[in-house]
Amino acid sequence: MRGVRAAFALGAEGVYVGTRFIVSNECPASDVTKQHIIHSKGADLLTVSSTQRSIPNNAAQEFKNMYKNGTPSNQVDKKISENGGLRTGMLEGRMDEGIISVNMAIDLQKKRAVRKLLKN
C-alpha cells in the first residue's frame, strides 16, 4: 500500500487497487485464479487489448494475437465478452477458456483478508 500512500501524497484523490482485492479471502474469485495471480509475474502478462492484460493461458494468447495482428481493441474486447468475459477465467477458474485481467503489480500479491489490506 506504499504506492497508494505515495499517490495520495502527490495529490491523487483516488487510486485503483482491484488486483489486490481479487486475491483477498472475501473475493468470490476461484481459488485456482487466486493462486495463478499470486504465482504470476508482471513481466509474464499478455496485452490482450488496449485496456486489458492477462495472465498467460490459451484464451489470452488467442486474444493477444488478434490484438497484435491489428484487430481493433473494441472488437477484441467484444470477443472476450462473447467468450464469457472475466467470469470464465476469474470467477469460475477455467484458466484456458477465459482471461484473468490483472495489473502489473501482481508480483506483490499475497492472499489476505480485506481488513488486513486496508490496515496496511
Side-chain angles (χ1 to χ4, degrees):
M1 292 310 242
R2 189 175 67 213
V4 172
R5 287 189 199 99
F8 285 131
L10 292 171
E13 293 185 21
V15 295
Y16 180 80
V17 289
T19 301
R20 184 155 298 217
F21 289 101
I22 294 169
V23 298
S24 71
N25 297 329
E26 295 84 352
C27 181
S30 164
D31 283 336
V32 172
T33 299
K34 291 176 185 184
Q35 288 305 308
H36 276 285
I37 291 172
I38 290 167
H39 295 356
S40 293
K41 302 288 180 214
D44 298 332
L45 297 180
L46 302 177
T47 301
V48 297
S49 77
S50 64
T51 60
Q52 298 188 81
R53 289 175 296 275
S54 176
I55 291 172
N57 63 29
N58 290 340
Q61 188 64 52
E62 176 186 337
F63 298 130
K64 174 194 173 227
N65 290 341
M66 288 175 62
Y67 182 59
K68 184 179 175 183
N69 291 327
T71 303
S73 186
N74 66 331
Q75 289 182 18
V76 177
D77 287 336
K78 183 178 179 189
K79 183 74 173 163
I80 290 169
S81 181
E82 290 169 354
N83 197 49
L86 300 177
R87 179 179 190 87
T88 310
M90 295 186 76
L91 191 60
E92 298 173 359
R94 293 187 286 153
M95 296 295 113
D96 284 332
E97 297 177 41
I99 66 168
I100 303 170
S101 185
V102 293
N103 68 33
M104 298 298 289
I106 63 169
D107 298 45
L108 308 173
Q109 305 310 316
K110 299 176 194 160
K111 193 170 178 184
R112 302 181 194 162
V114 170
R115 178 176 38 88
K116 288 184 179 180
L117 290 174
L118 297 176
K119 193 180 214 182
N120 295 333

